[in-house]
Short mmCIF file of all heavy atoms in Angstrom, two decimals:
data_model
loop_
_atom_site.label_atom_id
_atom_site.label_comp_id
_atom_site.label_asym_id
_atom_site.label_seq_id
_atom_site.Cartn_x
_atom_site.Cartn_y
_atom_site.Cartn_z
N ASN A 914 26.47 -9.58 -97.71
CA ASN A 914 27.71 -10.01 -97.04
C ASN A 914 28.00 -11.47 -97.34
O ASN A 914 29.15 -11.84 -97.57
CB ASN A 914 27.60 -9.84 -95.52
CG ASN A 914 27.81 -8.39 -95.10
OD1 ASN A 914 28.24 -7.58 -95.91
ND2 ASN A 914 27.50 -8.08 -93.85
N GLY A 915 26.92 -12.29 -97.34
CA GLY A 915 27.07 -13.73 -97.59
C GLY A 915 27.71 -14.00 -98.95
O GLY A 915 28.48 -14.94 -99.10
N LYS A 917 29.48 -11.52 -100.72
CA LYS A 917 30.77 -10.81 -100.78
C LYS A 917 31.90 -11.63 -100.15
O LYS A 917 33.00 -11.69 -100.67
CB LYS A 917 30.66 -9.48 -100.04
CG LYS A 917 30.13 -8.35 -100.90
CD LYS A 917 30.37 -6.97 -100.28
CE LYS A 917 29.80 -6.85 -98.91
NZ LYS A 917 29.75 -5.48 -98.40
N PHE A 918 31.58 -12.20 -98.95
CA PHE A 918 32.65 -12.90 -98.23
C PHE A 918 32.58 -14.43 -98.44
O PHE A 918 32.94 -15.19 -97.57
CB PHE A 918 32.61 -12.54 -96.74
CG PHE A 918 32.76 -11.06 -96.51
CD1 PHE A 918 31.66 -10.26 -96.23
CD2 PHE A 918 34.02 -10.46 -96.62
CE1 PHE A 918 31.79 -8.90 -96.06
CE2 PHE A 918 34.15 -9.09 -96.45
CZ PHE A 918 33.03 -8.31 -96.17
N ASP A 942 26.25 -18.87 -94.75
CA ASP A 942 27.02 -18.93 -96.00
C ASP A 942 28.17 -19.92 -95.85
O ASP A 942 28.50 -20.35 -94.73
CB ASP A 942 27.54 -17.55 -96.40
CG ASP A 942 28.50 -16.97 -95.40
OD1 ASP A 942 29.57 -17.57 -95.18
OD2 ASP A 942 28.17 -15.90 -94.79
N ILE A 945 34.30 -17.27 -96.02
CA ILE A 945 35.61 -17.26 -95.37
C ILE A 945 35.53 -17.33 -93.85
O ILE A 945 36.51 -17.58 -93.18
CB ILE A 945 36.42 -16.00 -95.79
CG1 ILE A 945 35.66 -14.73 -95.40
CG2 ILE A 945 36.73 -16.03 -97.29
CD1 ILE A 945 36.49 -13.46 -95.57
N GLY A 946 34.33 -17.03 -93.31
CA GLY A 946 34.16 -17.07 -91.85
C GLY A 946 34.77 -15.86 -91.16
O GLY A 946 35.40 -15.01 -91.81
N ILE A 947 34.58 -15.80 -89.86
CA ILE A 947 35.07 -14.63 -89.09
C ILE A 947 35.96 -15.15 -87.96
O ILE A 947 35.56 -16.05 -87.21
CB ILE A 947 33.89 -13.82 -88.51
CG1 ILE A 947 32.94 -13.37 -89.64
CG2 ILE A 947 34.36 -12.60 -87.71
CD1 ILE A 947 31.58 -12.96 -89.18
N ILE A 955 31.80 -7.39 -84.23
CA ILE A 955 31.45 -7.38 -85.65
C ILE A 955 30.27 -6.46 -85.97
O ILE A 955 30.16 -5.94 -87.07
CB ILE A 955 31.20 -8.85 -86.14
CG1 ILE A 955 31.55 -8.96 -87.62
CG2 ILE A 955 29.80 -9.31 -85.89
CD1 ILE A 955 33.02 -9.01 -87.86
N TYR A 960 33.37 -1.47 -88.04
CA TYR A 960 34.28 -2.55 -87.69
C TYR A 960 34.34 -3.55 -88.84
O TYR A 960 33.33 -4.06 -89.30
CB TYR A 960 33.84 -3.25 -86.40
CG TYR A 960 34.93 -4.18 -85.88
CD1 TYR A 960 35.96 -3.67 -85.08
CD2 TYR A 960 34.97 -5.53 -86.24
CE1 TYR A 960 36.99 -4.49 -84.66
CE2 TYR A 960 35.99 -6.36 -85.82
CZ TYR A 960 37.00 -5.83 -85.03
OH TYR A 960 38.03 -6.64 -84.62
N ARG A 961 35.55 -3.81 -89.26
CA ARG A 961 35.72 -4.75 -90.38
C ARG A 961 36.90 -5.66 -90.07
O ARG A 961 37.88 -5.20 -89.49
CB ARG A 961 35.97 -3.99 -91.67
CG ARG A 961 34.66 -3.42 -92.23
CD ARG A 961 34.89 -2.50 -93.37
NE ARG A 961 35.38 -1.21 -92.92
CZ ARG A 961 35.24 -0.09 -93.60
NH1 ARG A 961 34.66 -0.11 -94.78
NH2 ARG A 961 35.70 1.03 -93.16
N VAL A 962 36.76 -6.92 -90.49
CA VAL A 962 37.87 -7.86 -90.24
C VAL A 962 39.06 -7.48 -91.14
O VAL A 962 40.17 -7.31 -90.68
CB VAL A 962 37.43 -9.33 -90.50
CG1 VAL A 962 38.60 -10.28 -90.28
CG2 VAL A 962 36.26 -9.70 -89.60
N ASP A 963 38.75 -7.26 -92.38
CA ASP A 963 39.80 -6.91 -93.34
C ASP A 963 39.35 -5.66 -94.07
O ASP A 963 38.54 -5.71 -95.00
CB ASP A 963 40.03 -8.09 -94.30
CG ASP A 963 41.13 -7.83 -95.31
OD1 ASP A 963 41.53 -6.64 -95.45
OD2 ASP A 963 41.59 -8.80 -95.95
N SER A 967 37.16 -5.30 -97.58
CA SER A 967 35.80 -4.77 -97.49
C SER A 967 35.61 -3.62 -98.45
O SER A 967 34.63 -3.56 -99.19
CB SER A 967 35.52 -4.31 -96.06
OG SER A 967 34.45 -3.42 -96.05
N GLY A 972 32.20 -2.31 -99.56
CA GLY A 972 31.52 -2.22 -98.25
C GLY A 972 31.78 -0.88 -97.56
O GLY A 972 32.77 -0.22 -97.84
N THR A 973 30.87 -0.52 -96.66
CA THR A 973 31.03 0.73 -95.91
C THR A 973 31.38 0.44 -94.45
O THR A 973 31.72 1.33 -93.69
CB THR A 973 29.73 1.56 -95.92
OG1 THR A 973 28.70 0.74 -95.34
CG2 THR A 973 29.34 1.95 -97.33
N GLY A 974 31.21 -0.79 -94.03
CA GLY A 974 31.45 -1.15 -92.61
C GLY A 974 30.26 -0.79 -91.74
O GLY A 974 30.33 -0.86 -90.52
N LEU A 975 29.14 -0.41 -92.37
CA LEU A 975 27.96 0.00 -91.58
C LEU A 975 26.81 -0.99 -91.71
O LEU A 975 25.82 -0.91 -90.98
CB LEU A 975 27.49 1.39 -92.02
CG LEU A 975 28.49 2.53 -91.77
CD1 LEU A 975 27.97 3.82 -92.39
CD2 LEU A 975 28.72 2.73 -90.27
N GLY A 976 26.92 -1.95 -92.66
CA GLY A 976 25.83 -2.89 -92.95
C GLY A 976 25.31 -3.64 -91.73
O GLY A 976 24.11 -3.63 -91.44
N LEU A 977 26.21 -4.29 -90.99
CA LEU A 977 25.77 -5.09 -89.83
C LEU A 977 25.22 -4.20 -88.71
O LEU A 977 24.29 -4.58 -88.00
CB LEU A 977 26.93 -5.94 -89.30
CG LEU A 977 27.33 -7.13 -90.19
CD1 LEU A 977 28.48 -7.90 -89.57
CD2 LEU A 977 26.14 -8.06 -90.41
N SER A 978 25.82 -3.01 -88.61
CA SER A 978 25.34 -2.06 -87.60
C SER A 978 23.89 -1.69 -87.89
O SER A 978 23.05 -1.64 -86.98
CB SER A 978 26.25 -0.83 -87.66
OG SER A 978 26.05 -0.06 -86.54
N SER A 1001 29.83 -18.62 -92.16
CA SER A 1001 29.23 -17.92 -91.03
C SER A 1001 27.72 -18.12 -91.05
O SER A 1001 27.14 -18.37 -92.11
CB SER A 1001 29.51 -16.42 -91.10
OG SER A 1001 30.87 -16.19 -91.40
N PHE A 1003 24.72 -15.86 -89.66
CA PHE A 1003 24.16 -14.68 -88.98
C PHE A 1003 22.70 -15.00 -88.67
O PHE A 1003 21.99 -15.52 -89.51
CB PHE A 1003 24.26 -13.44 -89.86
CG PHE A 1003 25.64 -12.84 -89.88
CD1 PHE A 1003 26.62 -13.33 -90.76
CD2 PHE A 1003 25.98 -11.83 -89.00
CE1 PHE A 1003 27.89 -12.80 -90.76
CE2 PHE A 1003 27.26 -11.29 -89.00
CZ PHE A 1003 28.22 -11.77 -89.88
P1 ADP B 2021 30.82 -4.17 -94.91
O1 ADP B 2021 30.26 -3.03 -95.64
O2 ADP B 2021 32.28 -4.15 -94.78
O3 ADP B 2021 30.27 -5.47 -95.38
P2 ADP B 2021 29.40 -4.88 -92.64
O4 ADP B 2021 29.01 -4.10 -91.41
O5 ADP B 2021 28.28 -5.45 -93.42
O6 ADP B 2021 30.31 -3.96 -93.46
O7 ADP B 2021 30.34 -6.03 -92.22
C1 ADP B 2021 31.40 -5.76 -91.34
C2 ADP B 2021 32.50 -6.75 -91.49
O8 ADP B 2021 32.09 -8.02 -91.02
C3 ADP B 2021 32.92 -7.03 -92.89
O9 ADP B 2021 33.87 -6.08 -93.30
C4 ADP B 2021 33.51 -8.40 -92.81
O10 ADP B 2021 34.84 -8.33 -92.35
C5 ADP B 2021 32.67 -9.05 -91.75
N1 ADP B 2021 31.59 -9.86 -92.33
C6 ADP B 2021 30.31 -9.50 -92.50
N2 ADP B 2021 29.57 -10.49 -93.01
C7 ADP B 2021 30.43 -11.52 -93.20
C8 ADP B 2021 30.28 -12.85 -93.73
N3 ADP B 2021 29.11 -13.33 -94.14
N4 ADP B 2021 31.38 -13.66 -93.78
C9 ADP B 2021 32.56 -13.19 -93.31
N5 ADP B 2021 32.77 -11.96 -92.85
C10 ADP B 2021 31.70 -11.12 -92.77
#
Side-chain angles (χ1 to χ4, degrees):
N914 281 348
K917 274 195 304 192
F918 301 101
D942 63 62
I945 59 170
I947 303 162
I955 209 76
Y960 192 84
R961 282 171 284 204
V962 178
D963 182 345
S967 160
T973 59
L975 296 174
L977 288 180
S978 194
S1001 314
F1003 282 84

